[in-house]
């Protein structure tokens, strides 16, 4: 399986926001692997954990073919590296990170999109202009939403919204959620930290994507809108946009750009 999609647009943007002093988010793109990690731990630790996770995930792009189990195994490896780093550096004790992303995998001999997450960073998918949330937050507040005790809108402003129930940097390793989709012409994926999803409703994100048909402009506009809406956390977004015609995921591998954004240290989210 090749590792590039020249016909697919990619955009990446990140901002420290209006409240935090440092950016603990890390976002990376390598070939057909896209990942956002949102670090926790304060001081240098949150940045370290998110960087370790993102760098581990994009190593998958070097493989000739991927399956969903490879993504899960690599996140397990990322968890091991975070724990190992914390063991070597006592000041990193307790650091962790959420992670969410997208990759091309082989399913039954054909290429599909795989979405994955641990924690409350999210992946959204837009099909025919309609945006829906693919991932489910691993957080105390989202459990209240799933039980019907509060609405998603109430969850965005709940005082416990930053308490995650799964993250990397824990022993035993938290379980990884995955979803698989066949490619669909014109679809758009948004991968983001909760600094974006806590500030913008799904409807507002949908409007912004409609207003900005190119991935880079869309990513920048989403992050800018979240900062303008309050920017109470670091804000990061990757936008992956497929062409409007039939999507071919088997393309030469020598032209894919690599991109990564990593912020500095910041406050603890949990």
């Amino acid at each position: 399986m090749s590792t590039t999609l020249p016909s697919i647009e990619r955009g990446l943007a990140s901002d420290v926001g209006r409240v935090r002093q440092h950016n603990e988010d890390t976002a990376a793109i390598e070939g057909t692997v896209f990942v956002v990690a949102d670090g926790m731990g304060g001081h240098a630790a949150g940045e370290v954990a998110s960087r370790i996770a993102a760098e581990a995930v994009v190593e998958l792009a070097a493989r000739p073919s991927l399956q969903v189990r490879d993504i899960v195994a690599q996140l397990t490896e990322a968890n091991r590296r975070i724990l190992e780093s914390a063991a070597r550096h006592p000041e990193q004790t307790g650091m962790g990170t959420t992670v969410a992303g997208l990759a091309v995998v082989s399913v039954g001999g054909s290429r599909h999109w795989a979405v994955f997450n641990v924690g409350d960073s999210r992946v959204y998918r837009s099909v025919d202009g309609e945006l829906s949330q693919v991932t489910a937050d691993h957080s105390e507040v989202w459990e209240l939403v799933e039980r019907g005790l509060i609405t998603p809108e109430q969850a965005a402003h709940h005082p416990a919204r930053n308490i995650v129930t799964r993250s990397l940097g824990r022993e035993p390793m938290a379980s990884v959620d995955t979803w698989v989709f066949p490619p669909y012409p014109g679809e758009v994926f948004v991968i983001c930290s909760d600094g974006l999803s806590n500030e913008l409703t799904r409807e507002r994100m949908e409007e912004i994507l409609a207003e900005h048909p190119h991935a880079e402009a869309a990513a920048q506009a989403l992050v800018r809108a979240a900062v303008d809406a309050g920017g109470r956390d670091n804000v990061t977004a990757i936008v992956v946009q497929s062409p409007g015609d039939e999507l071919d995921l088997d393309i030469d591998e020598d032209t894919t750009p690599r991109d990564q954004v990593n912020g500095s240290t910041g406050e603890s989210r949990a």
Side-chain angles (χ1 to χ4, degrees):
M1 182 180 68
S2 80
T3 58
T4 68
L5 301 173
S7 60
I8 285 186
E9 292 189 26
R10 313 150 171 85
L12 188 160
S14 188
D15 193 282
V16 69
R18 293 184 169 183
V19 176
R20 302 298 177 94
Q21 296 300 308
H22 306 284
N23 194 343
E24 291 187 295
D25 290 355
T26 302
I29 298 172
E30 181 83 19
T32 57
V33 179
F34 310 84
V35 61
V36 169
D38 183 352
M40 303 173 288
H43 303 293
E47 175 191 358
V48 171
S50 67
R51 185 178 67 247
I52 290 173
E55 290 179 350
V57 170
V58 296
E59 288 174 6
L60 291 167
R63 303 188 187 188
S65 180
L66 282 183
Q67 295 184 327
V68 172
R69 64 174 177 265
D70 298 322
I71 297 171
V72 175
Q74 195 66 7
L75 287 169
T76 302
E77 169 62 14
N79 190 68
R80 186 196 66 78
R81 293 181 191 178
I82 291 169
L83 291 170
E84 182 181 71
S85 181
R88 292 198 312 266
H89 305 281
E91 69 276 11
Q92 296 174 358
T93 299
M95 72 175 176
T97 185
T98 68
V99 62
L102 176 72
V104 173
V105 297
S106 178
V107 178
S110 62
R111 290 159 179 79
H112 288 62
W113 290 114
V115 169
F116 56 91
N117 87 302
V118 178
D120 61 355
S121 292
R122 292 181 178 179
V123 179
Y124 294 83
R125 185 187 188 215
S126 176
V127 174
D128 294 331
E130 183 174 342
L131 187 69
S132 61
Q133 182 179 337
V134 177
T135 54
D137 296 352
H138 304 138
S139 67
E140 290 189 2
V141 166
W142 199 251
E143 291 177 1
L144 297 176
V145 172
E146 292 183 327
R147 290 163 60 189
L149 299 178
I150 63 174
T151 67
E153 291 74 23
Q154 290 170 326
H157 303 287
H158 195 281
R161 63 185 178 275
N162 289 332
I163 301 177
V164 297
T165 55
R166 297 188 210 174
S167 65
L168 299 187
R170 296 181 178 182
E171 186 64 46
M173 164 74 181
S175 60
V176 180
D177 285 351
T178 60
W179 298 260
V180 175
F181 303 95
Y184 186 88
E187 67 190 334
V188 179
F189 290 93
V190 177
I191 310 160
C192 64
S193 62
D194 70 329
L196 188 141
S197 57
N198 282 341
E199 299 290 1
L200 301 181
T201 64
R202 181 191 58 79
E203 291 80 8
R204 179 60 183 136
M205 294 172 64
E206 190 174 87
E207 291 174 358
I208 292 171
L209 292 175
E211 293 165 2
H212 298 84
H214 297 290
E216 183 64 32
Q220 296 288 343
L222 285 166
V223 169
R224 184 167 57 250
V227 173
D228 290 345
R232 288 163 289 187
D233 199 352
N234 308 145
V235 184
T236 300
I238 291 175
V239 175
V240 181
Q241 185 172 22
S242 301
D245 51 5
E246 184 176 355
L247 176 60
D248 181 6
L249 296 184
D250 188 12
I251 302 175
D252 180 73
E253 67 175 356
D254 293 329
T255 58
T256 292
R258 173 174 181 153
D259 201 359
Q260 177 169 322
V261 171
N262 189 190
S264 302
T265 60
E267 302 288 328
S268 172
R269 291 178 54 254

